[in-house]
């Protein structure tokens, strides 16, 4: 029974990822989750008390995986400049990944405090890593620089998501160039 419940929970999370990546947070509704999984709407409520609870669990499951991929790219890079470039490139490379699309939809949405806290915690490790590279580049306020750098990444993510006129590779290269020029101050 427990295994069946955990499979249904996983199916609901997977359906939530699809809905988020297709239509953003507005698309994530209990009727839509019920329809996607073939469960009764009342059954969806047995697993999650609210949309926020679904989002919170997705954050818990997907953010660390996503952050680990960015971290691994940074760890493999040699030198502060290369780490900054890896930080930007890896995040933008993950835009096509459904898990990342869900994460993007989530971070753009109105979240309750619990979900926001989980996102902040997952982002914390990344910000700490990039902060280290920025400190190595001589930044006196590496945390502030890290936040601004993430702003460049977020803007590039949105541009790619919009299917802008530019090719995603061109957007990525522009973001990397801007990030590197910016962090060198």
């Amino acid at each position: 029974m427990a295994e069946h419940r955990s499979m249904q929970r996983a199916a609901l999370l997977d359906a939530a990822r699809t809905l988020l990546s297709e239509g953003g947070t507005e698309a994530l509704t209990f009727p839509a989750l019920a329809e996607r999984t073939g469960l009764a709407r009342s059954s969806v409520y047995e697993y999650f008390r609210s949309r926020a609870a679904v989002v919170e669990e997705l954050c818990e499951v997907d953010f660390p995986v996503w952050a680990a991929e960015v971290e691994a790219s940074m760890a493999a890079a040699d030198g502060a400049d290369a780490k900054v470039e890896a930080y930007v490139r890896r995040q933008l490379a993950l835009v096509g990944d459904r898990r990342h699309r869900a994460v993007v939809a989530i971070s753009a949405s109105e979240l309750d405090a619990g979900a926001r806290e989980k996102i902040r915690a997952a982002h914390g490790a990344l910000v700490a890593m990039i902060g280290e590279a920025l400190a190595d580049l001589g930044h006196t306020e590496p945390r502030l620089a890290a936040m601004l750098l993430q702003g460049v990444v977020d803007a590039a993510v949105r541009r790619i998501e919009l299917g802008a006129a530019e090719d995603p590779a061109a957007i990525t290269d522009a973001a990397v160039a801007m990030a590197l020029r910016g962090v060198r101050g």
Side-chain angles (χ1 to χ4, degrees):
M1 180 65 194
E3 190 173 321
H4 179 66
R5 281 191 67 81
S6 111
M7 279 173 64
Q8 286 195 324
R9 190 175 203 93
L12 283 165
L13 286 176
D14 206 48
R17 277 183 201 101
T18 304
L19 290 165
L20 281 167
S21 67
E22 285 172 2
T25 41
E26 300 77 50
L28 181 60
T29 64
F30 278 30
L33 282 171
E35 192 183 315
R36 289 280 168 124
T37 54
L39 292 169
R41 197 185 310 184
S42 58
S43 300
V44 178
Y45 283 98
E46 286 174 33
Y47 292 92
F48 298 104
R49 65 186 186 286
S50 65
R51 248 165 46 135
V54 177
V55 165
E56 198 170 321
E57 188 152 329
L58 269 181
C59 291
E60 231 171 297
V61 174
D62 290 357
F63 250 95
V65 174
W66 174 79
E69 291 183 36
V70 177
E71 244 172 88
S73 289
M74 287 177 69
D78 197 20
D81 272 2
K83 284 187 189 312
V84 169
E85 179 162 352
Y87 177 82
V88 175
R89 280 195 190 281
R90 189 72 193 128
Q91 287 190 69
L92 297 180
L94 288 168
V95 173
D97 182 313
R98 243 173 18 111
R99 269 177 337 206
H100 179 69
R101 292 175 65 89
V103 164
V104 169
I106 289 166
S107 31
S109 71
E110 286 303 304
L111 294 176
D112 70 0
R116 267 201 307 275
E117 202 37 63
K118 295 211 165 65
I119 290 178
R120 252 200 301 279
H123 260 295
L126 274 184
V127 170
M129 270 192 96
I130 196 64
E132 237 170 82
L134 295 169
D136 292 346
L137 287 169
H139 272 275
T140 51
E141 291 198 57
R143 195 169 163 73
L144 172 62
M147 295 306 191
L148 296 173
L149 173 60
Q150 187 59 44
V152 170
V153 173
D154 293 344
V157 164
R158 280 192 300 278
R159 192 92 190 136
I160 292 170
E161 288 273 325
L162 281 172
E166 308 89 1
D167 176 51
I171 296 170
T172 300
D173 290 344
V176 166
M178 185 170 280
L180 288 173
R181 277 199 302 275
V183 298
R184 289 189 192 117

